[in-house]
Amino acid sequence: AGAETLKRAVQLDVASRFQESLVCYQEGIDLLLQAMKATTDEAKKHRYQQKISEYLTRAEEIKEHIKKQDSKYHKQIRIEENATGFGYEKLFHEYLTENVSEVWVEDPYIRQVHQASRYLLYNFLRFCEMLVKGPCKVKTIHLLTSYDEGSGRSQQMSALEEIKQSLRNYGVTLNINFSSSIHDREIRFSNGWMIKIGRGLDYFKKPKGLFSIGYCDFDLRPCRETTVDVILTKHTKK
């Protein structure tokens, strides 16, 4: 998984898609670190260390390049570990203007209802609720994700179909597509804004209980550390 993610990072890097490549570099480096910690083979540890050092150097170079870009069309938000006050409304409201009629969500992990620390389908549902409340006039949401594995797939399909039917009651069409090779995580609005969150929609920690503060109100739920890049794509050089 780390190798595939880093391969994608290099491809995006070569294509000068630096924002996207940085996200993949960071995710790939994290996966390599996990693999290095898990192995007892010293030769493998050494190879992992070399690769991690190389990719870290390139990631830092890309960060510096991004900083030099015109800040008028690019904003970066750093969400610290355990920070609160970063519910979807706060994060996206500034960019959800009245002329937004279409939204694209690319996230490979909109699937399991319950993971070790994640409520991914519920997060997507919460995101859709925000769109329905406005002030934007969203008519179509496009979701690109990956299939769940094993027995979880039927639960994933059932949940997504229920969200689709519910959105239809509000005059919103949900188009769902699946990809086995998707790595990138981004959200695009039809007014030209693109939001790239390092962890996708899943940057919240698991609530402590069903009746704990922060279970319903995401502004009160602690976050996991991540970076959010907001870019006005119509001014982005290709």
Side-chain angles (χ1 to χ4, degrees):
E4 286 299 314
T5 304
L6 288 165
K7 181 180 178 182
R8 177 62 173 159
V10 172
Q11 292 172 341
L12 291 166
D13 193 350
V14 171
S16 297
R17 294 167 64 180
F18 298 117
Q19 300 286 350
E20 298 162 85
S21 69
L22 182 58
V23 171
C24 287
Y25 274 125
Q26 291 170 331
E27 184 175 339
I29 289 167
D30 185 56
L31 290 169
L32 282 188
L33 283 168
Q34 293 177 37
M36 185 179 72
K37 291 176 181 178
T39 185
T40 56
D41 188 315
E42 291 301 321
K44 283 186 177 181
K45 279 183 181 289
H46 181 67
R47 287 198 297 273
Y48 284 138
Q49 287 174 334
Q50 285 184 317
K51 288 297 181 182
I52 289 168
S53 178
E54 290 174 13
Y55 290 126
L56 274 173
T57 299
R58 181 53 187 159
E60 288 302 317
E61 291 173 349
I62 291 174
K63 283 182 184 179
E64 289 303 313
H65 174 77
I66 290 171
K67 287 179 183 178
K68 294 176 183 178
Q69 291 181 336
D70 187 354
S71 60
K72 185 176 180 180
Y73 305 116
H74 173 235
K75 177 181 179 181
Q76 188 172 80
I77 303 166
R78 184 73 177 179
I79 300 178
E80 301 294 340
E81 185 77 7
N82 291 317
T84 57
F86 288 96
Y88 294 149
E89 283 85 354
K90 178 172 181 178
L91 202 60
F92 297 110
H93 182 80
E94 181 180 347
Y95 314 101
L96 284 171
T97 53
E98 290 186 1
N99 61 334
V100 174
S101 60
E102 209 163 357
V103 177
W104 291 263
V105 179
E106 294 186 11
D107 191 320
Y109 301 115
I110 306 298
R111 43 195 201 191
Q112 294 183 13
V113 176
H114 294 286
Q115 250 186 1
S117 62
R118 305 180 183 180
Y119 291 72
L120 306 178
L121 280 162
Y122 286 134
N123 288 354
F124 179 66
L125 174 60
R126 184 68 189 85
F127 177 78
C128 291
E129 289 176 337
M130 176 196 66
L131 296 177
V132 168
K133 288 194 297 183
C136 55
K137 309 297 181 185
V138 173
K139 296 298 180 184
T140 309
I141 302 171
H142 304 274
L143 171 64
L144 178 63
T145 189
S146 60
Y147 281 115
D148 206 337
E149 299 174 357
S151 60
R153 182 175 298 188
S154 61
Q155 185 182 37
Q156 176 196 28
M157 298 303 294
S158 175
L160 287 174
E161 184 60 31
E162 188 172 344
I163 293 173
K164 182 176 183 177
Q165 294 299 327
S166 184
L167 283 169
R168 190 173 295 168
N169 295 331
Y170 290 87
V172 180
T173 299
L174 174 61
N175 295 322
I176 306 169
N177 288 290
F178 297 91
S179 170
S180 59
S181 59
I182 179 176
H183 292 291
D184 303 338
R185 299 171 186 174
E186 65 182 40
I187 296 167
R188 303 189 305 277
F189 301 140
S190 56
N191 60 357
W193 285 105
M194 175 172 69
I195 292 87
K196 300 182 70 63
I197 309 173
R199 295 183 182 273
L201 291 173
D202 180 37
Y203 58 89
F204 297 103
K205 290 193 170 183
K206 179 182 177 182
K208 293 182 179 180
L210 293 176
F211 300 99
S212 61
I213 296 297
Y215 185 88
C216 298
D217 189 337
F218 279 20
D219 275 337
L220 298 173
R221 188 180 297 189
C223 298
R224 295 187 292 157
E225 182 178 348
T226 194
T227 300
V228 181
D229 286 287
V230 183
I231 307 157
L232 187 57
T233 57
K234 62 179 69 174
H235 291 281
T236 302
K237 294 180 180 179
K238 294 184 179 180

